[in-house]
Amino acid sequence: MDNFNEFLQTIDNDKHKKTMTEIFNWISETFPNLETTIKWNQPMFTDHGTFILAFSKAKQHFSIAPEAKGMTEFSERIDAAGYSQTNNLFRIKWTQEVDYRLLKDIIQFNIDDKADCSTFWRT
């Protein structure tokens, strides 16, 4: 989590900073084997050197990127949760609740699907 402190300091709104901190802490507690890193100014969780999930922030929302395969797998649930999405990420408005069950399932899917992956991104 210390890797993410600099990113968190760039969030001006204290409520937004608290939301991101809670999400990062929850992921670290739920998936203690995941490593944290910052790449391309985005906080990321990785597993054995392979990408699992990344975050970015904007004024009205924050984005979660689980790679396109993760998006395809969970597109209907992301839509049902009320989040907007693209092929590579979904957006949660700062005013929306975080669906932690969905987040857990996405992370576990990527961990399982990439268990034998030896590259950072899926090939």
Side-chain angles (χ1 to χ4, degrees):
M1 263 301 291
D2 289 342
N3 290 347
F4 294 167
N5 285 338
E6 188 174 324
F7 171 82
L8 289 168
Q9 294 312 310
T10 67
I11 302 174
D12 295 332
N13 184 305
D14 288 339
K15 186 176 179 186
H16 299 174
K17 187 183 300 185
K18 181 177 185 269
T19 297
M20 291 303 300
T21 301
E22 288 172 355
I23 293 168
F24 293 159
N25 285 335
W26 177 85
I27 293 172
S28 293
E29 291 167 9
T30 306
F31 298 96
N33 293 335
L34 293 182
E35 299 106 24
T36 58
T37 188
I38 300 279
K39 293 184 186 287
W40 304 284
N41 296 317
Q42 294 183 330
M44 296 183 177
F45 288 89
T46 62
D47 185 32
H48 68 276
T50 190
F51 176 87
I52 299 299
L53 198 70
F55 291 82
S56 60
K57 63 178 175 60
K59 186 175 182 177
Q60 300 297 323
H61 66 270
F62 60 93
S63 299
I64 301 175
E67 280 190 284
K69 187 170 183 180
M71 289 300 301
T72 300
E73 183 74 20
F74 292 94
S75 180
E76 289 182 17
R77 286 182 58 192
I78 291 166
D79 189 52
Y83 306 144
S84 65
Q85 59 184 303
T86 68
N87 290 338
N88 292 307
L89 61 82
F90 61 100
R91 297 175 204 91
I92 301 176
K93 293 179 185 175
W94 292 112
T95 56
Q96 290 178 298
E97 293 292 320
V98 175
D99 185 337
Y100 282 99
R101 181 179 299 251
L102 172 61
L103 189 55
K104 182 178 182 180
D105 291 347
I106 290 170
I107 294 169
Q108 191 62 60
F109 170 80
N110 273 346
I111 290 170
D112 294 344
D113 190 63
K114 296 182 83 176
D116 296 325
C117 187
S118 59
T119 58
F120 189 72
W121 304 109
R122 286 179 174 93
T123 53

